[in-house]
Each structure stands twice: as C-alpha cells, then as structure tokens.
C-alpha cells in the first residue's frame, strides 16, 4: 500500500492487517532465532575464556565478531518494523 492510500473496505483492511501480522511474526521468529544463536555463542565464548587455552582464546575473536554481526542483524530487523 502506498503512503496516503485509503483502504476502500473492511476486506481490504483485514487483508492488509493479515499481511502486517505475517511480516511481524516472521521478523519475530528471525530475531528469536538469532538471539538463540547468540546464547550459544556466548556460552562457547565463556567456556573458551575460562579454559585460558590459547587456541580457545583465539577462537573467541571470530566468535565475538559473529556475535557482533548478529546483534547488528537484530537491530536492523527491529528498526525495519
């Protein structure tokens, strides 16, 4: 629907509302999936940090970058709603 357009009837309004809800639901599911992935990343980062093993600590660099990218994706998804 274009800005400034007026809906002509209830059926049109219901259809638009349904599409908005579908879009909102998809974004919510996408955000939740990313947050679940972030929880796993944070757990792995913490375990690596606690191990103090050089290989694990080096791996954290990539994991933290992935975490930061995921946070950006969540912010972008939330901004677009």
């Amino acid at each position: 629907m274009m800005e400034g357009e007026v809906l002509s009837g209830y059926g049109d309004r219901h259809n638009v509302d349904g599409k908005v809800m579908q879009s909102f639901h998809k974004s919510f599911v996408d955000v939740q999936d990313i947050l679940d992935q972030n929880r796993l990343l944070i757990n792995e980062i913490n375990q690596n940090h606690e191990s103090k093993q050089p290989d694990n600590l080096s791996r954290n660099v990539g994991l933290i970058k992935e975490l930061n990218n995921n946070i950006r994706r969540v912010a972008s998804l939330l901004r677009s709603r």
Side-chain angles (χ1 to χ4, degrees), residues 3-19:
E3 186 174 301
E5 251 184 270
V6 176
L7 295 174
S8 61
Y10 177 77
D12 290 340
R13 174 65 186 205
H14 182 69
N15 190 28
V16 170
D17 287 345
K19 288 179 182 177

Side-chain angles (χ1 to χ4, degrees), residues 7-66:
L7 295 174
S8 61
Y10 177 77
D12 290 340
R13 174 65 186 205
H14 182 69
N15 190 28
V16 170
D17 287 345
K19 288 179 182 177
V20 168
M21 287 304 295
Q22 285 176 341
S23 176
F24 176 77
H25 179 73
K26 182 185 178 334
S27 292
F28 177 78
V29 169
D30 290 345
V31 165
Q32 190 59 54
D33 287 345
I34 295 168
L35 294 176
D36 290 341
Q37 182 182 9
N38 284 356
R39 184 179 309 107
L40 296 174
L41 285 170
I42 290 167
N43 286 339
E44 185 175 350
I45 290 166
N46 285 336
Q47 288 173 358
N48 289 344
H49 181 74
E50 289 171 3
S51 78
K52 297 185 185 344
Q53 293 178 3
D55 289 344
N56 290 345
L57 295 173
S58 323
R59 178 162 163 66
N60 275 358
V61 173
L63 295 174
I64 291 169
K65 286 179 183 178
E66 185 177 351

